[in-house]
Amino acid sequence: MKFPTPPPAWKQQFTELVKVLDRQEAGKRLISKYYQRIEKLKEALGDRRHKLQVSVVGIYQDNKIVPYGESYPASTVIKDIGLQRPSGQRGDLYYTNSISEEQLSNIDADVLFFLVRRQKGANESNEFLEKLQQKPLWRQLKVVQKNQVYFVDGGNWGGFDILAMNAVIDDLFKYLVNTP
């Protein structure tokens, strides 16, 4: 299956895949379970979800800090839950322009999910991130001061399948519900 860049939403890709594989009933069950988990997470978060601002950021090629918009795969899960986003990450955006260290305040929120790559060749990005965390502009972020920055698997958060989205839900439960 070929998709344009940026690709269509993961739910659309999932729907097309189950059609191609002639597994519509299995697909309906998986989507139903997805929405059941979303409802459980909404319930666990309560009214807090309407006020909680969540930022989603990663390091892109050439060590650029990239905020992700509401069309990014994991962002659709966040939107389904009803969590809020910083102004620069709202709207039908897959990602926004990269930001400089001087613009880090643009990614400040109540919670920051920072996508990291764990595959081979990610050392340069991880070294960049380690250096970034030592800089004063990073330490000035409210989300950093409140210790609400979570480094999550970029493979799952950028994935386009139901398994990846369920892994995102697992992370959201872990960091938003089960963390004091």
Side-chain angles (χ1 to χ4, degrees):
M1 295 171 50
K2 292 185 181 185
F3 295 106
T5 302
W10 74 267
K11 292 174 192 171
Q12 181 182 343
Q13 288 188 40
F14 182 74
T15 300
E16 290 179 29
L17 179 63
V18 296
K19 282 181 189 174
V20 167
L21 298 175
D22 195 26
R23 303 288 296 181
Q24 289 91 333
E25 287 306 312
K28 286 178 186 175
R29 284 192 303 275
L30 290 171
I31 288 292
S32 176
K33 286 182 183 178
Y34 165 84
Y35 280 109
Q36 288 171 11
R37 294 192 73 207
I38 291 292
E39 289 304 315
K40 284 181 184 177
L41 187 50
K42 284 180 176 181
E43 186 178 307
L45 290 169
D47 289 339
R48 182 171 78 113
R49 70 186 171 93
H50 299 294
K51 299 174 195 144
L52 192 63
Q53 192 175 72
V54 175
S55 186
V56 181
V57 180
I59 298 175
Y60 206 68
Q61 300 164 344
D62 302 325
N63 293 328
K64 292 187 166 117
I65 303 165
V66 178
Y68 293 105
E70 291 180 327
S71 293
Y72 192 72
S75 296
T76 62
V77 176
I78 291 167
K79 190 173 185 176
D80 285 346
I81 295 163
L83 296 168
Q84 306 307 302
R85 301 296 298 278
S87 61
Q89 296 174 28
R90 292 183 198 142
D92 191 24
L93 305 164
Y94 192 78
Y95 55 85
T96 69
N97 292 331
S98 62
I99 62 169
S100 67
E101 292 174 24
E102 293 77 25
Q103 298 169 308
L104 281 173
S105 62
N106 294 348
I107 65 169
D108 210 357
D110 297 315
V111 178
L112 171 61
F113 289 103
F114 209 112
L115 284 57
V116 293
R117 295 183 286 163
R118 294 193 166 101
Q119 73 267 20
K120 275 187 174 179
N123 290 343
E124 185 179 324
S125 293
N126 293 335
E127 287 172 15
F128 172 80
L129 181 56
E130 287 174 16
K131 289 178 185 174
L132 179 66
Q133 290 175 283
Q134 303 307 313
K135 302 212 174 178
L137 290 172
W138 173 265
R139 292 192 306 261
Q140 288 175 7
L141 295 174
K142 288 180 267 176
V143 71
V144 172
Q145 293 172 4
K146 293 187 317 187
N147 200 30
Q148 296 292 303
V149 178
Y150 303 107
F151 299 96
V152 293
D153 187 327
N156 288 334
W157 281 63
F160 285 95
D161 60 62
I162 193 84
L163 297 174
M165 296 307 101
N166 275 297
V168 170
I169 294 172
D170 291 343
D171 284 342
L172 293 172
F173 266 110
K174 178 179 178 180
Y175 296 118
L176 300 181
V177 176
N178 298 332
T179 316

